[in-house]
Amino acid sequence: MSSIDETKQFVPLNIAVLTVSDTRSLADDKSGATLADRLTAAGHHLAAREIIVDDVDAIRVIIKRWIADEGVDAIITTGGTGFTGRDVTPEAIEPLFEKRMDGFSIAFHMLSHAKIGTSTVQSRATAGVAGATFIFCLPGSPGACRDAWDGILAAQLDYRTRPCNFVEIMPRLDEHLRRPKAQGASA
């Protein structure tokens, strides 16, 4: 089990929240509000919050903008992870991943199964890294967002979590993009 190392200082992240829905507005977006409330209560900063329709190109425009924004450390989406014709969040975002985070989906489904049983198979929750930005795609229900935040993200986005967490590896996420040093160059 993970634990919090109280000798380390909390490092607030800038986290953007995107709700993918054809029917929600900010006034009735309970899932986006759940995520925004929980991440700010934990001490992080809400870098941005938007709602976009279930459309691959529209979703990618926002996600690519946030990936390119140095002021966004992580992105959490809610909605569009089901199986209906309009559920296209994984199709929109997974091609942007440089690295896929298969363990997130497994952990999410384990948590979800404990709460809703086999109905968890109706979610295509996914996560990955793109442009040194963590991206987590959650189902559109407030309960699923609450479970994912409380059960996975709150700990993994906290620098004090031991034995390991996402924050401590953030400085190395883009190391593959850096040019190698010339032979014989000094550090």
Side-chain angles (χ1 to χ4, degrees), residues 77-131:
T77 72
T78 175
T81 63
F83 288 96
T84 70
R86 297 289 294 159
D87 290 326
V88 295
T89 300
E91 288 78 10
I93 298 176
E94 285 180 337
L96 304 177
F97 291 163
E98 294 162 13
K99 297 199 177 186
R100 198 178 152 99
M101 193 183 305
D102 294 325
F104 174 81
S105 181
I106 293 166
F108 174 79
H109 286 295
M110 287 173 58
L111 283 170
S112 181
H113 186 271
K115 303 253 177 149
I116 64 170
T118 60
S119 294
T120 190
V121 301
Q122 292 192 28
S123 166
R124 296 180 299 141
T126 187
V129 178

Side-chain angles (χ1 to χ4, degrees), residues 1-183:
M1 294 297 292
S2 64
S3 64
I4 297 293
D5 182 347
E6 297 293 344
T7 66
K8 297 200 176 285
Q9 187 171 1
F10 180 79
V11 176
L13 301 180
N14 296 313
I15 303 172
V17 173
L18 179 64
T19 298
V20 179
S21 175
D22 289 337
T23 61
R24 297 282 179 242
S25 67
L26 280 177
D28 65 358
D29 176 21
K30 293 178 183 174
S31 296
T34 296
L35 291 167
D37 291 347
R38 278 182 150 59
L39 72 89
T40 56
H44 298 293
H45 305 289
L46 182 61
R49 181 173 170 209
E50 293 189 32
I51 297 178
I52 192 67
V53 296
D54 293 270
D55 177 80
V56 169
D57 294 328
I59 295 167
R60 282 186 186 159
V61 165
I62 294 172
I63 296 298
K64 285 179 178 180
R65 178 171 25 103
W66 287 346
I67 290 169
D69 185 340
E70 291 185 13
V72 175
D73 300 311
I75 300 166
I76 306 173
T77 72
T78 175
T81 63
F83 288 96
T84 70
R86 297 289 294 159
D87 290 326
V88 295
T89 300
E91 288 78 10
I93 298 176
E94 285 180 337
L96 304 177
F97 291 163
E98 294 162 13
K99 297 199 177 186
R100 198 178 152 99
M101 193 183 305
D102 294 325
F104 174 81
S105 181
I106 293 166
F108 174 79
H109 286 295
M110 287 173 58
L111 283 170
S112 181
H113 186 271
K115 303 253 177 149
I116 64 170
T118 60
S119 294
T120 190
V121 301
Q122 292 192 28
S123 166
R124 296 180 299 141
T126 187
V129 178
T133 304
F134 290 108
I135 304 170
F136 306 94
C137 302
L138 308 178
S141 77
C145 291
R146 186 174 46 254
D147 293 345
W149 180 266
D150 295 350
I152 303 168
L153 298 176
Q156 280 299 297
L157 297 177
D158 188 333
Y159 178 66
R160 304 167 301 166
T161 298
R162 294 290 165 245
C164 58
N165 60 76
F166 290 135
V167 182
E168 65 191 357
I169 64 171
M170 288 176 71
R172 297 187 353 247
L173 288 177
D174 65 352
E175 64 192 358
H176 66 288
L177 301 175
R178 296 185 192 132
R179 291 175 44 158
K181 291 183 181 178
Q183 289 289 344

